[in-house]
């Protein structure tokens, strides 16, 4: 075996330059790096970047990288087209006409720095730093960088993914999981082992419950979908919970096409079966958990027949799925964004964590691995908050303001409270927005037309992005060009491994996010930014909690770094979870809390429960008569990351139009054929997409794509951003317990064909006239 390993190593050195981070191949300089973002991605896969004369010419997957083993998605393979796209922002610009007219004047970076710094200082001195709102989007590599700028540079307490009600993306799973287990959990697909599937301790899961997630398309939250494919090739069984027939559903032992918004009831039904049939892990429950008796009493309220009625599923299929999961040793859950996009969100997180706990699948090989730094869930997450004065921090727009939401769970300001303040000036008037890595009206903004009107009231808005987006055209006063992945020095550290991202090229005057943070930070608050450049910032970050035994240049040359902590199993038995060194979990009781005390602290029910969506056949039967379909949205595609990639010719060749999936019975009832443009309408508005007819969807559900805008239409009417936007129908200020979760996957709607010249009005103004005005939340 030793001779064989040396033989493989010699081949790797010869063919793949093992141990080198940069080398020459003919006319190309090849750099071993990771591609995180921009354009959007949640992973940072290992890549080989080929540059010539300072320009990116080719990209390949790095076959030696243990994270992705040389695999790349089609978006990453298309990176050369994205990086060199002629429509990218090349220079800083300031508005030269009225907002929305798309008239710009090129300015220098020095002018941009001066204008923006002067504005920040003016608002801080005149009104206080709290009137400046820092806005960032999803998972692009800005999760600690922008909070550092906003907290330490501007010293504002108001940082948010603006207009995105209920923190409806990933964070609730993190905070909920921490309350129950003390750390976050992921499927153990061997990512924590540098030798991956060959590791002696690791074993593949016998069963993975793929719940509200399409791992191959989304590769969400640092988890590569291909890992589960490889587990399946080793024998892992799949249970699929999704109203759509996905790649995973086709290959599943059981497919449960659930009624959207009822997932918590299903999870409680699983718990009922497992406890009533005595299929739970007695040893783990008795030795390591807290609250089992209370949980057992609660689940009696949800017999399987009741759960079947709530979810629209067959009782026997629910029992079958629960039994497969409980008797598979080990088993795991791959969870998705559907968890947050319903108002029973925190209950669903709790119920599924309880499911993992009572079956003994916590931190065991092939089960659910306890990991650190999910979404930088440490000091890194709200980076720089120590620089916000306490009297300013107390003014954060959250649940204490106007009682709009009850957010004491997530440290960010609450987007609903910010929205209300923008509209009403209560409890004070926000005046400046700094939007970086967020195309607000095209993607996250629930009730997008309302969000646009609120932004128009702001006195000064900065948009920093690689492209001129609908949001930038509609409301920006200054636009700043942001560098893409190969144009920035950065790193990725959501659990193992720590990965370096190296700058290899430059696009005109675009600056990477780290460069922007340092440049603005030094000018705004030099005391908090003793950095000369982006590498200094990265070195500070690496040593912030003693995470990495070296500096960024070391990491760049090594390319990735693994920690023993993540690769250790049953940490709760070894005294390495708790700061006091005692055995147990990092929770108040030291146990895995099936009924978590933190839920009580947050004002939440500490036991699983089901709440009907605010619109449903049960909650609003009269509305259901007129709007008899359930609209779910937010599903991923191979070609796009949220609202990004719409200007990429190759991606649009594969996926030219926005698609809504409908069942053949729905198509027949409405005279709709494959490829017809159709309206999806609710009392709040409508949008149009192209119908694709499939038997692989719950007949009562339609699934529409999100994030669509049309760069080819030009900036007039903001690139058609409202034409096909499901956020014409979503509502702000409608959330679950604790202000967490939003029902954007379970809205009622109706569908009908677009008839040119008859009913093809698309602008938000025309919608207001036609439908009698938008209805704003509560």
């Amino acid at each position: 075996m030793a001779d064989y390993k040396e033989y493989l190593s010699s081949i790797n050195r010869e063919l793949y330059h093992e141990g080198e981070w940069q080398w020459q191949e003919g006319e190309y300089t090849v750099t071993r790096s990771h591609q995180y973002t921009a354009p959007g991605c949640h992973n940072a896969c290992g890549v080989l970047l080929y540059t010539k004369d300072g320009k990116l010419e080719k990209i390949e997957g790095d076959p030696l990288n243990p994270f992705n083993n040389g695999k790349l998605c089609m978006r990453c393979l298309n990176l050369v087209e994205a990086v060199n796209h002629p429509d990218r922002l090349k220079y800083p610009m300031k508005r030269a006409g009225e907002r929305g007219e798309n008239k710009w004047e090129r300015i220098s970076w020095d002018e941009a720095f001066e204008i923006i710094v002067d504005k920040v200082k003016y608002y801080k001195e005149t009104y206080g730093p709290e009137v400046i709102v820092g806005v960032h989007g999803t998972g692009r590599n800005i999760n600690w960088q922008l909070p550092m700028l906003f907290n330490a540079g501007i010293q504002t307490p108001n940082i948010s993914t603006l207009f995105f009600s209920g923190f409806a993306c990933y964070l609730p799973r993190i905070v909920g999981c921490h309350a129950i287990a003390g750390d976050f959990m992921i499927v153990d697909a061997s990512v924590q082992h540098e030798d991956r599937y060959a590791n002696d301790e690791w074993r593949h899961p016998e069963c993975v419950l793929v719940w509200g997630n399409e791992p191959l398309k989304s590769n969400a939250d640092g988890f590569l979908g291909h890992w589960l494919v490889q587990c399946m090739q080793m024998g892992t069984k799949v249970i699929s919970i999704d109203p759509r027939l996905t790649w995973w559903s086709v290959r599943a032992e059981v497919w449960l096409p659930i009624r959207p918004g009822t997932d918590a009831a299903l999870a409680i039904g699983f718990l009922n079966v497992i406890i009533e049939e005595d299929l739970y892990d007695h040893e783990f429950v008795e030795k390591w958990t807290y609250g089992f008796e209370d949980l057992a009493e609660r689940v009696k309220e949800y017999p399987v027949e009741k759960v079947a009625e709530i979810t629209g599923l067959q009782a026997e299929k629910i029992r079958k799925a629960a039994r497969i999961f409980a008797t598979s040793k080990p088993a795991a859950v791959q969870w998705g964004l559907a968890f947050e996009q319903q108002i029973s969100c925190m209950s669903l997180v709790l119920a599924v964590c309880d499911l993992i706990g009572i079956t003994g699948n916590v931190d065991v090989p092939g089960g659910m691995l306890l990991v650190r730094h999910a979404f930088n869930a440490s000091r890194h997450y709200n980076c720089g908050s120590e620089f916000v004065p306490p009297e300013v921090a107390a003014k954060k727009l959250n649940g204490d303001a106007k009682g709009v939401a009850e957010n004491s769970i997530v440290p960010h300001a609450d987007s609903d409270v910010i929205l209300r303040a923008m509209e009403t000036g209560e409890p004070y008037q926000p005046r400046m927005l700094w939007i970086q890595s967020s195309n607000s009206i095209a993607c996250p903004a629930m009730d997008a037309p309302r969000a646009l009107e609120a932004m128009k009231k702001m006195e000064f808005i900065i948009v920093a992005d690689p492209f001129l987006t609908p949001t930038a055209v509609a409301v920006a006063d200054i636009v700043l060009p942001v560098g893409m992945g190969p144009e920035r020095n950065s790193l990725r550290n959501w659990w193992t491994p720590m990965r370096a991202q190296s700058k290899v090229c430059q696009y005109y005057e675009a600056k990477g996010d780290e460069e922007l943070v340092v440049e603005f930070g030094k000018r705004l608050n030099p005391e908090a930014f003793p950095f000369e450049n982006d590498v200094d910032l990265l070195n500070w970050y690496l040593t912030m909690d003693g995470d990495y035994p070296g500096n960024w240049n070391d990491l760049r040359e090594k390319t990735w770094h693994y920690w023993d902590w993540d690769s250790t199993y049953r940490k709760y038995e070894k005294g390495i979870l708790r700061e006091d060194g005692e055995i147990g979990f990092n929770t108040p009781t030291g146990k895995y809390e099936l009924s978590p005390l933190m839920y009580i602290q947050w004002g939440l029910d500490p036991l699983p429960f089901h709440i009907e969506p605010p619109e449903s056949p049960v909650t609003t039967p009269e509305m259901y008569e007129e709007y008899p379909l359930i609209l779910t949205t937010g599903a991923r595609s191979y070609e796009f990351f949220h609202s990004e990639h719409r200007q990429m010719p190759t991606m649009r060749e594969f996926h030219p139009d926005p698609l809504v999936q409908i069942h053949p019975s729905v198509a027949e009832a409405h005279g709709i054929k494959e490829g017809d443009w159709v309206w999806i309408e609710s009392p709040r508005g409508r949008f149009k997409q192209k119908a694709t007819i499939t038997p692989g969807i719950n007949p009562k559900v339609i699934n529409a794509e999100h994030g669509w805008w049309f760069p080819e239409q030009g900036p007039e009417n903001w690139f058609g951003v409202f034409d096909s936007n499901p956020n014409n129908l979503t509502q702000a200020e409608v959330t679950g317990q604790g202000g967490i979760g939003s029902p954007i996957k379970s809205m009622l709607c109706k569908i009908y064909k677009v008839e040119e010249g008859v009913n093809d009005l698309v602008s938000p103004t025309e919608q207001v006239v036609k439908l009698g005005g938008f209805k704003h939340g509560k």
Side-chain angles (χ1 to χ4, degrees):
M1 179 62 73
D3 290 343
Y4 179 65
K5 286 184 176 179
E6 177 55 35
Y7 169 70
L8 287 179
S9 184
S10 67
I11 291 177
N12 288 339
R13 285 193 297 270
E14 180 179 352
L15 296 181
Y16 303 120
H17 296 265
E18 185 178 36
E20 300 179 57
W21 75 277
Q22 194 171 66
W23 61 93
Q24 202 69 24
E25 285 189 15
E27 58 187 348
Y28 295 112
T29 299
V30 186
T31 304
R32 173 168 277 123
S33 183
H34 294 87
Q35 169 55 23
Y36 196 174
T37 55
C41 172
H42 280 303
N43 282 285
C45 288
V47 294
L48 302 178
L49 301 172
Y50 289 74
T51 53
K52 177 184 175 184
D53 299 327
K55 182 181 179 182
L56 184 68
E57 298 276 357
K58 186 170 69 168
I59 183 171
E60 294 177 350
D62 181 359
L64 300 188
N65 192 290
F67 182 83
N68 57 305
N69 306 114
K71 298 180 181 69
L72 294 179
C73 71
M74 65 189 300
R75 297 192 302 268
C76 198
L77 289 169
N78 197 50
L79 185 64
V80 173
E81 184 175 271
V83 167
N84 299 313
H85 198 287
D87 290 347
R88 283 186 59 188
L89 286 171
K90 299 175 175 65
Y91 318 102
M93 297 189 295
K94 68 178 181 180
R95 181 167 51 84
E98 296 298 317
R99 283 180 175 171
E101 288 185 344
N102 198 42
K103 295 179 181 178
W104 304 97
E105 176 187 337
R106 177 182 171 181
I107 58 176
S108 68
W109 272 108
D110 285 340
E111 289 177 277
F113 291 138
E114 182 178 1
I115 293 170
I116 293 170
V117 170
D118 285 349
K119 284 287 187 182
V120 170
K121 290 181 177 178
Y122 165 74
Y123 287 118
K124 288 179 68 174
E125 293 168 2
T126 308
Y127 303 101
E130 65 273 12
V131 305
I132 303 171
V133 178
V135 182
H136 65 70
T138 186
R140 193 157 78 71
N141 195 8
I142 41 74
N143 292 319
W144 64 269
Q145 294 92 329
L146 292 186
M148 180 63 183
L149 173 60
F150 299 147
N151 278 322
I154 298 174
Q155 298 177 293
T156 178
N158 292 318
I159 305 171
S160 176
T161 303
L162 195 55
F163 310 122
F164 198 54
S165 297
F167 303 94
C169 177
Y170 192 43
L171 274 176
R173 269 173 287 163
I174 294 171
V175 296
C177 200
H178 273 75
I180 298 152
D183 287 282
F184 192 59
M185 295 186 289
I186 64 171
V187 178
D188 178 17
S190 79
V191 65
Q192 75 279 16
H193 301 300
E194 193 159 9
D195 54 356
R196 294 301 305 268
Y197 311 104
N199 183 269
D200 291 336
E201 284 190 276
W202 182 77
R203 57 175 297 189
H204 68 267
E206 285 195 12
C207 174
V208 171
L209 188 53
V210 180
W211 199 322
N213 186 234
E214 219 301 14
L216 281 174
K217 289 183 178 179
S218 64
N219 296 298
D221 311 325
F223 198 93
L224 201 62
H226 288 286
W227 301 340
L228 294 184
V229 176
Q230 287 164 298
C231 289
M232 290 174 65
Q233 291 170 342
M234 299 174 192
T236 297
K237 298 175 182 177
V238 167
I239 298 168
S240 173
I241 301 173
D242 200 303
R244 303 160 302 135
L245 186 73
T246 67
W247 188 94
W248 306 87
S249 308
V250 171
R251 293 158 177 81
E253 299 293 307
V254 183
W255 171 40
L256 299 172
I258 191 169
R259 174 164 69 91
T262 65
D263 301 70
L266 178 60
I268 304 170
F270 283 173
L271 289 165
N272 178 288
V273 172
I274 292 167
I275 293 172
E276 290 294 316
E277 297 186 6
D278 196 22
L279 299 176
Y280 64 92
D281 186 321
H282 284 256
E283 181 181 357
F284 184 84
V285 166
E286 291 165 10
K287 188 173 182 179
W288 296 108
T289 70
Y290 166 85
F292 178 75
E293 293 78 10
D294 291 338
L295 174 66
E297 282 300 310
R298 173 59 63 86
V299 303
K300 289 178 182 177
E301 300 174 16
Y302 290 85
V304 173
E305 284 69 22
K306 177 181 177 180
V307 170
E309 183 179 352
I310 292 171
T311 59
L313 300 170
Q314 297 174 22
E316 277 312 304
K317 283 197 172 184
I318 295 172
R319 290 190 178 93
K320 180 180 178 180
R323 290 165 182 159
I324 291 173
F325 186 84
T327 57
S328 298
K329 301 294 181 182
V333 179
Q334 174 60 17
W335 44 16
L337 207 60
F339 274 59
E340 283 84 17
Q341 297 184 350
Q342 53 188 294
I343 60 170
S344 295
C345 166
M346 293 302 287
S347 169
L348 176 57
V349 173
L350 172 57
V352 171
C353 285
D354 285 355
L355 183 65
I356 294 162
I358 69 168
T359 52
N361 285 301
V362 181
D363 215 31
V364 297
M368 293 297 284
L369 184 74
L370 288 168
V371 292
R372 287 275 165 89
H373 302 314
F375 206 74
N376 302 301
S378 61
R379 276 182 63 216
H380 302 89
Y381 172 64
N382 204 18
C383 205
S385 58
E386 65 271 21
F387 290 98
V388 181
E391 66 275 13
V392 176
K395 298 177 182 179
K396 177 167 58 175
L397 292 168
N398 61 14
D400 295 329
K402 299 288 286 182
V404 175
E406 309 162 14
N407 169 36
S408 61
I409 301 171
V410 176
H412 272 345
D414 190 289
S415 69
D416 284 339
V417 184
I418 296 172
L419 171 60
R420 184 68 66 87
M422 291 167 68
E423 293 174 328
T424 67
E426 296 292 338
Y428 54 83
Q429 180 66 58
R431 297 178 183 274
M432 173 179 165
L433 299 182
W434 188 316
I435 303 172
Q436 192 156 331
S437 81
S438 180
N439 188 358
S440 298
I441 58 175
C443 190
M446 298 180 193
D447 197 340
R450 178 185 178 186
L452 175 60
E453 293 306 309
M455 284 192 287
K456 288 178 180 179
K457 295 183 177 182
M458 296 300 96
E459 296 171 6
F460 187 69
I461 298 179
I462 303 160
V463 172
D465 199 274
F467 288 93
L468 194 66
T469 64
T471 304
V473 171
V475 298
D477 299 294
I478 294 277
V479 292
L480 303 176
V482 174
M484 290 194 175
E487 299 159 2
R488 65 189 292 198
N489 293 317
S490 191
L491 52 82
R492 175 71 151 86
N493 76 321
W494 292 15
W495 59 79
T496 292
M498 176 82 80
R499 282 153 277 166
Q501 180 173 331
S502 300
K503 181 174 181 176
V504 299
C505 57
Q506 176 68 44
Y507 187 83
Y508 291 84
E509 295 183 10
K511 290 183 180 289
D513 292 277
E514 289 79 7
E515 291 179 90
L516 288 175
V517 168
V518 171
E519 293 281 8
F520 279 108
K522 288 193 299 184
R523 290 167 169 82
L524 291 168
N525 189 5
E527 178 185 352
F529 290 84
F531 315 118
E532 288 299 317
N533 52 41
D534 53 349
V535 173
D536 285 348
L537 177 69
L538 295 170
N539 283 333
W540 167 79
Y541 179 83
L542 285 171
T543 59
M544 188 177 177
D545 285 331
D547 283 338
Y548 181 68
N551 58 35
W552 188 84
N553 286 325
D554 298 329
L555 181 63
R556 177 182 64 181
E557 293 183 14
K558 189 178 179 182
T559 314
W560 59 80
H561 171 74
Y562 278 79
W563 292 283
D564 291 337
W565 193 96
D566 277 342
S567 63
T568 303
Y569 291 114
R570 296 183 176 88
K571 304 176 190 70
Y572 51 86
E573 294 180 351
K574 299 169 184 175
I576 60 176
L577 293 177
R578 300 173 58 87
E579 289 187 5
D580 60 14
E582 296 294 321
I583 63 170
F585 292 85
N586 187 30
T587 61
T589 63
K591 299 290 186 72
Y592 188 94
E593 297 187 2
L594 303 172
S595 176
L597 299 184
M598 282 304 301
Y599 268 52
I600 298 173
Q601 175 70 25
W602 292 331
L604 306 179
D605 189 333
L607 293 168
F609 56 88
H610 164 67
I611 300 177
E612 269 293 314
E615 298 175 359
S616 80
V618 178
T619 312
T620 54
E622 292 182 1
M623 180 181 176
Y624 185 60
E625 289 184 10
E626 184 176 356
Y627 300 95
L629 295 170
I630 299 171
L631 168 64
T632 185
T633 184
R636 303 297 188 261
S637 68
Y638 290 112
E639 299 87 357
F640 309 122
F641 183 86
H642 291 302
S643 65
E644 294 188 76
H645 301 92
R646 292 310 192 286
Q647 59 279 94
M648 302 301 155
T650 302
M651 298 298 98
R652 291 293 294 278
E653 182 178 355
F654 281 98
H655 197 144
D657 299 306
L659 301 175
V660 56
Q661 290 179 305
I662 63 175
H663 192 270
S665 61
V666 175
E668 183 178 0
H670 294 84
I672 296 168
K673 298 185 176 64
E674 180 75 21
D676 282 347
W677 283 92
V678 296
W679 285 112
I680 299 99
E681 183 177 310
S682 83
R684 293 176 296 279
R686 65 178 182 174
F687 64 98
K688 63 178 180 179
Q689 297 195 0
K690 189 176 274 191
T692 182
I693 302 169
T694 173
I697 191 168
N698 185 321
K700 298 179 180 180
V701 175
I702 66 171
N703 175 56
E705 296 180 341
H706 75 296
W708 272 91
W709 55 292
F710 303 92
E712 65 272 21
Q713 289 187 15
E716 297 76 20
N717 201 27
W718 312 306
F719 302 103
V721 69
F722 291 104
D723 292 10
S724 300
N725 193 340
N727 282 328
N728 295 344
L729 276 58
T730 53
Q731 295 184 83
E733 302 182 86
V734 180
T735 60
Q737 277 194 7
I740 302 294
S742 179
I744 57 178
K745 287 189 179 292
S746 55
M747 300 174 284
L748 293 184
C749 70
K750 63 183 177 182
I751 190 169
Y752 54 96
K753 288 176 65 173
V754 172
E755 296 182 42
E756 189 173 353
V758 178
N759 67 355
D760 56 349
L761 302 178
V762 295
S763 76
T765 301
E766 288 165 327
Q767 288 194 63
V768 170
V769 172
K770 179 180 184 298
L771 299 173
F774 295 106
K775 298 182 180 179
H776 291 163
K778 295 179 181 178

